[in-house]
Amino acid sequence: MCFIVIHCIFFLIMELIPILKGQTTQVSIYLIMPDRAKLNRNLKSTFSEAVFTVGTRVFRKSPIFSNLRIKRHDTIIDKENPHEILDMFCETIFQSHVNTILYFQLHPTKDPTPKFIINMAEYLKIPVISWDPQYPGALQHKQDSTVLQMAPTIYHQCSMMLGILKRFNWTNFAIVSTTTFNYLEFTGSIDILIKEHNTKVKFDRKRRFNLLSSIVVNLRPSDNDTVIKTKSRQALLKENNPENRVFLIHVSSREAKDILEVAEELGLTGKEYIWIMSSFCLGNMDYSMPPRAYPLGSLGVTYSSISKDGFEDQLIDDALKTSVRLWVETLKKTFINKDQYKISPNFSCNSQQPLQQWLDGEKFYRVMRSVRLDRPTPIQFSNNGVNQLVKLRIVNIQQMTENHRTSRVWKEVGRWVPMESNVTHKAEMTVEMSGITWPGNAVLPPLGRPEKRFMRIVTLKEKPYVFYLDKDANGKCPPPAVPCRLVKKINPENNNTPQNNTVSRCCAGLCIDILRVLSSKMQFDYELYEVPDQTWGLPDQQTGEWNGLIKQIQDGLADMVLTSLKITPKRSEVVDFSIPFLETGITIMVSIRKGNISPTAFLEPYDYPSWCVILVFSVHVTGAAIFIYEWLSPQGLNRGATPLREHRFSLFRSFWLIWAMLFGASVSTDNPRGVSSRFLSNVWALFALVFLASYTANLAAFMITKDEYYNLSGIKDWRLTNPYFMNPPFKFATIPNGSTEENLRKNHYNMYKYMQRYNRATVDDAVKALKQGKIQAFIYDATPLEYHTGNDDNCELKTVGEKYAMTGYGLAVPQKAKYLEEINEVILELQENGELERLRRFWLAGACHVKRKRGQSSHTIGIPNFTSAFILLASGVLLGGLVLLLEHLYFKFGRRCLRKYDKNMCCSLVSLSMGRSLTFEQSVMKALAREKHKECKNPRCELLLWKEKHHHDLSLLYINKLKDQLQSYGITPEEDPMKQLEICDTFDKHNGYPTTCQFLQSPFKSIENRHECHQLDSYDSTPVRWKRRSLKRSPSYTNAVEVPVPEISEKQKVRFNEGKFYYEVDNEGSDQEIL
């Protein structure tokens, strides 16, 4: 006992010494509590114990904080008593140097007192640690706020509700609230949390939240239960989406009873529906039995106790201890720097001056907000001062049987508690649930969406997006086609199931594949039918009334338009479109006309100047140069000294050599002998090789069929804007009552008016008209035209020009349709996983596209395509005939004149044939040859003709002998020299070989042996002189050649025939033929 007294005296002295020295710093913390007796006693006890344990004891033991004295104060306030609040500030808070206020409002209230206290403290910059479940500051970001919120607010409850939705993948939901119970905080929190969540999972469309309905019942505080039910029924019928299966409700407990009763009447509380209630709907849960109106299996979020289990008391007790510990930790951090700022305010209500703000209070608040604690409960404040780590419990309405009596009770099935993350190693809020009773006592949780919805979907044929097929023999549609109903007049022969002027057939295409995906992911059944008027949809120019597909949506006859419907501003005014699933625009399709190879294709590898340089200049200059070099060369013609009989070369033969080398022709040519001319010939051969290589390499590119079509540049091509500039006028068309026609009517009115007479009802009709030449161009959507060009049977179609008015295809739905967001999510998912691109390639690709991409052509080359070669051949034949005609004209008329001027045989230098034709000898021999071919048709005739000529020659020799005898007697006979010349010329040669007359005029015979020359052989009267020079035949017996007479021995047998001597042959035949 004495020890205790001494110990108390010691502590009293230790307390008094700093006070006597004036070095003590005093701070206070103030607890404001609600007017609840039992709870107040518990709070006071907890508060007193926490301040002493956490604060006073610690500061006394530490020499650093020995001069710091902390005090506690608490009070209970009455409801709606502002004077008591003002007195509390003046008499207690100001005088006790309170630097932190603890305000604990345990249950929701409509009393403005909490707001008044908090606003007063915020104005004075006094930090407030609050427990107020209705605190709205979670959505506010005040720059001057000094409030730290410890209680789970509406924001926390909304966050936990969405955590439950994420756990069971309930992404579509609705919210229900009333105007009398903080609905703005509730709806605002839901909106913020949805945006935050969707931003995090933007690449995972399946996890995105979709708020289908926000149902707010407009109530007044004075409304009774009947009015509440009436207004609730109206709101649910008007604003509820039929697809809603998950409802988050935030109303008072009284309002919740009435709203849930109405929901049960409307069939919204079955086993497919789940209701999740906030703590304000649950009310006082001291008694575990929920109201009857609450559906079985409903979930609730609360921090309250159930059946007096003490959960709420423990939660508040821990929060109070944590608040005191937070205050003490802040004092420790600020007391060290007490010289820089004051840690307690100095207010007074007795001063004549207005109250000034505690400027250091904001610093104290920021230090307190930055503190992180792990016990007794973890705390972590956000920037707006709200504790992010709170505790909430999840309760469930379940059935319990006790004493053979079944009742419904609240039962805790989970909690929302802070858990340390394995990734960030920080505390994160986690939902833990188990042992849940689901609506209707189902084993599995609801799907959160309708099992199957039903939609009426209208469409219109447009290949490859939608096209029609017949059913198989079993009356079913082959995959991937789906059943659809078409207007009866489209296929009257297949009217197997008439119903409302329609027939049942099958639809397939790219849009049908998208429909199958939508139906699977959105869980709906559908009826697919064709629009009755078979038009896309345009407003009437006078009335503004829409037709076609758009009218079906406007009149509520269809829930969706699924085909290649273009998104336009005008249509978007009356219907809502999904995001585009395919890009398109306006383009032009034309027909390809199979062209022929150009008649001058063989000339196209080189341009005309190149041909002139090669064939005119190079050939003739080189040929002339070779002849000149050969003329001047000592080994060549040697300037005419070499007889042409020894070296048969001329200018034309030089040209013939040049042409033969140029084209590589295997013909007989006369080659030059000179070194220079031969070198030039080799150079020309190299040139010819390069020329032929480049020519043949490029010729293949021009000897192909060229497709001919109207290569329009685009919608502004001159043939479209001015069709009458062509003769006949250029004709083009489009499909009426479509977006293409509307665009042309709006932006190109003249084109729109002109093409009215040529428009076609369908794309197939337009394609047929293009191929038949009834129209020259078809203007329409790009992707359908690309499909037709790629899949045409003969690849006779082509799209030309730049695309115009780019837009996209979308699904049309009624305005404000709730399922539009689902459609967009499915389309985005198809785009992200590449499914849309796969569908586009599958349906829009075609064989013609592949061939054009690879540069392949399947056109066979026929006679019309090979015109140039035939023209070249025909030209050569005609030119040869012309040369033949000129040759005849030359021999008949030109030769006689040219002979008079060619005295020096210059023409032989140009052409040996020409020079030979100018001699009389050649003329006679040709005449004889012609006569022979005309008169003698067999060897017997030729033999007789030769004998007659031989006798004629002997006669002439005899005449000459007589003349010689007359001259010996001194008589000179008179004779005609021209006649003698003609006789000798006539019989000068026979088949190119010398006759007897030649030897009479030979310059080699002399007067002394003239008699010997004319002496005849005793056997055949042949002149003896032929024995000196004879002709021998080559082993092939085709040519006769000269041989010296000594080579012929007496023993050799010689045969004479047609002026030729043959030796070493058998002496068979008549004696006249043997020498």
Side-chain angles (χ1 to χ4, degrees), residues 452-470:
K452 284 290 183 179
R453 291 173 282 186
F454 184 80
M455 290 188 182
R456 285 179 54 84
I457 301 176
V458 62
T459 187
L460 184 60
K461 181 181 179 182
E462 178 80 287
K463 291 182 179 182
Y465 300 96
V466 179
F467 57 91
Y468 308 142
L469 301 172
D470 292 326

Side-chain angles (χ1 to χ4, degrees), residues 407-457:
S407 60
R408 299 192 306 166
V409 297
W410 289 111
K411 185 177 180 179
E412 181 180 348
V413 293
R415 289 192 179 186
W416 194 51
V417 294
M419 298 287 292
E420 184 178 355
S421 173
N422 295 328
V423 179
T424 61
H425 301 288
K426 295 182 179 179
E428 295 180 357
M429 300 308 298
T430 306
V431 176
E432 296 178 346
M433 298 181 70
S434 62
I436 303 174
T437 296
W438 298 111
N441 276 325
V443 178
L444 298 176
L447 293 175
R449 61 180 184 273
E451 291 187 2
K452 284 290 183 179
R453 291 173 282 186
F454 184 80
M455 290 188 182
R456 285 179 54 84
I457 301 176

Side-chain angles (χ1 to χ4, degrees), residues 487-496 503:
V487 178
K488 184 177 179 180
K489 64 180 181 180
I490 293 298
N491 241 334
E493 69 277 2
N494 195 29
N495 187 14
N496 50 4
V503 292

Side-chain angles (χ1 to χ4, degrees), residues 514-716:
I514 295 177
L515 174 61
R516 292 165 65 91
V517 176
L518 290 173
S519 174
S520 174
K521 292 185 175 293
M522 295 175 59
Q523 295 293 312
F524 66 84
D525 292 326
Y526 56 87
E527 178 190 8
L528 185 63
Y529 69 97
E530 185 184 36
V531 60
D533 60 1
Q534 299 179 342
T535 57
W536 295 97
L538 280 180
D540 188 85
Q541 297 300 317
Q542 284 74 30
T543 63
E545 183 179 358
W546 287 80
N547 61 5
L549 297 169
I550 305 301
K551 184 175 177 59
Q552 295 289 306
I553 295 291
Q554 278 189 318
D555 295 346
L557 301 177
D559 301 310
M560 185 191 304
V561 175
L562 185 64
T563 184
S564 56
L565 184 65
K566 290 174 66 173
I567 302 173
T568 63
K570 212 158 197 176
R571 289 172 177 169
S572 300
E573 295 175 359
V574 293
V575 297
D576 286 344
F577 280 97
S578 68
I579 59 175
F581 62 86
L582 200 65
E583 187 183 47
T584 187
I586 298 175
T587 191
I588 307 168
M589 182 169 68
V590 296
S591 176
I592 298 176
R593 304 182 300 277
K594 295 298 183 293
N596 299 327
I597 297 178
S598 172
T600 59
F602 68 96
L603 296 176
E604 292 180 2
Y606 298 105
D607 56 6
Y608 291 109
S610 299
W611 281 117
C612 292
V613 170
I614 295 172
L615 299 183
V616 178
F617 181 77
S618 300
V619 170
H620 296 86
V621 169
T622 307
I626 290 176
F627 175 72
I628 293 173
Y629 291 167
E630 187 68 12
W631 172 262
L632 299 176
S633 174
Q635 296 181 359
L637 295 177
N638 195 16
R639 292 181 291 182
T642 303
L644 295 179
R645 288 174 297 178
E646 297 182 6
H647 184 27
R648 303 168 62 85
F649 198 79
S650 64
L651 179 62
F652 279 13
R653 291 179 182 254
S654 176
F655 290 153
W656 178 256
L657 173 66
I658 291 296
W659 284 104
M661 293 173 64
L662 180 63
F663 295 112
S666 57
V667 295
S668 178
T669 59
D670 293 317
N671 297 322
R673 296 178 180 178
V675 177
S676 58
S677 54
R678 287 190 176 188
F679 174 76
L680 184 57
S681 299
N682 290 330
V683 173
W684 174 257
L686 179 62
F687 170 82
L689 178 64
V690 175
F691 167 76
L692 285 179
S694 61
Y695 177 77
T696 52
N698 290 277
L699 183 62
F702 296 94
M703 294 295 291
I704 58 175
T705 57
K706 295 183 178 180
D707 294 335
E708 299 178 358
Y709 57 88
Y710 293 103
N711 191 13
L712 306 179
S713 60
I715 199 68
K716 295 183 179 181

